[in-house]
């Protein structure tokens, strides 16, 4: 099963409701946030609404290496995964009309943050929610995530990363009370105006 909408009917695209648009200066939309924040689900919906490509950084790494993210962690360790992640980010930011879902840890690396801040025409959106909500969502998804094995350590990571997500973001969307489609609409609406220079 996939979270991607199947058809234009699913997106309610009709002659009365044409495909959505964002400000014409934008070429990339980057979604950041902790594990379970909805980056892939919401990113897929936003891309479908705009008629853009969706790129999930983890999926990109998995298809390049032929290994799942948990296997990369288990076989090669986290530092190796982080190097692959930085390379994947450079390649993703070279694309146009693309919605990019980062991994939850991508912004921990200063080089990645500088890349995100300095790539023109690129909007960064932080999908926020309280840690207990995110943790529960991850448990419900049942996807293996190596860094969630110990909830207390995961909570520390969240606290350390949240200021980084915030400082990178042009916009923050609180997803705690929003279903995926509503969050996708809120995101698109926030990007109708040109990006402000200050974050
Ligand atoms: C990680 C998040 C995961 C994946 C890897 C490490 C992290 O991505 O990149 O397990 O450090 O938070 P999601 O945020 O898409 O789950």
């Amino acid at each position: 099963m996939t979270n991607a909408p199947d058809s234009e009917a699913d997106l309610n695209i009709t002659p009365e409701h044409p495909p959505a648009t964002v400000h014409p200066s934008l070429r990339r939309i980057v979604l950041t946030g902790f594990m379970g924040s909805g980056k892939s689900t919401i990113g897929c919906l936003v891309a479908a609404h705009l008629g853009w490509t969706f790129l999930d950084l983890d999926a990109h790494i998995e298809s390049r290496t032929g290994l799942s993210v948990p296997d990369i962690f288990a076989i090669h360790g986290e530092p190796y995964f982080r190097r692959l992640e930085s390379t994947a980010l450079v390649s993703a930011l070279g694309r146009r009309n693309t919605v990019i879902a980062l991994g939850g840890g991508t912004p921990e690396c200063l080089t990645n943050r500088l890349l995100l801040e300095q790539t023109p025409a690129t909007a960064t959106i932080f999908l926020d929610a309280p840690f207990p909500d995110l943790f529960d969502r991850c448990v419900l998804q049942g996807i293996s995530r190596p860094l969630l094995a110990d909830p207390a350590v995961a909570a520390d990571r969240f606290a350390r990363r949240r200021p980084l997500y915030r400082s990178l973001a042009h916009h923050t969307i609180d997803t705690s009370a929003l279903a995926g489609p509503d969050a996708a609409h809120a995101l698109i609406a926030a990007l109708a105006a040109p990006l402000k220079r200050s974050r």
Side-chain angles (χ1 to χ4, degrees):
M1 245 219 3
T2 168
N3 291 320
D6 288 334
S7 67
E8 292 196 341
D10 291 342
L11 295 170
N12 195 25
I13 294 171
T14 63
E16 297 77 41
H17 299 94
T21 55
V22 289
H23 194 269
S25 61
L26 285 178
R27 295 289 171 269
R28 285 157 293 272
I29 299 170
V30 175
L31 302 189
T32 187
F34 202 65
M35 292 170 268
S37 58
K39 300 181 292 288
S40 303
T41 306
I42 295 166
C44 226
L45 286 167
V46 169
H49 277 298
L50 298 177
W52 285 18
T53 305
F54 174 67
L55 189 152
D56 180 284
L57 222 53
D58 285 341
H60 181 80
I61 293 167
E62 290 182 334
S63 76
R64 283 290 165 96
T65 57
L67 291 171
S68 69
V69 170
D71 281 349
I72 298 172
F73 270 77
I75 298 167
H76 300 288
E78 182 172 349
Y80 180 81
F81 172 78
R82 297 298 173 200
R83 287 198 292 279
L84 294 177
E85 192 174 43
S86 293
T87 307
L89 180 64
V90 171
S91 146
L93 290 175
R95 298 180 182 223
R96 295 164 74 88
N97 296 352
T98 302
V99 180
I100 302 163
L102 301 183
T106 316
E108 279 210 28
C109 166
L110 174 62
T111 310
N112 295 348
R113 296 202 297 279
L114 292 174
L115 257 174
L116 287 162
E117 284 172 351
Q118 290 170 9
T119 304
T122 304
T124 301
I125 312 291
F126 170 31
L127 301 179
D128 196 16
F131 178 76
D133 292 17
L134 297 166
F135 192 82
D136 287 351
R137 282 187 211 162
C138 289
V139 171
L140 285 173
Q141 284 170 359
I143 300 170
S144 167
R145 286 177 167 101
L147 300 182
L148 283 182
D150 181 336
V153 174
D156 280 352
R157 278 197 194 242
F158 175 73
R160 195 172 68 231
R161 288 175 181 175
R162 197 163 175 273
L164 302 178
Y165 299 141
R166 286 185 65 88
S167 72
L168 269 180
H170 295 96
H171 298 281
T172 295
I173 296 187
D174 180 352
T175 64
S176 51
L178 284 182
D182 295 330
H185 283 297
L187 193 161
I188 290 169
L191 294 178
L195 295 178
K196 293 208 184 92
R197 283 178 66 81
S198 61
R199 289 167 187 271

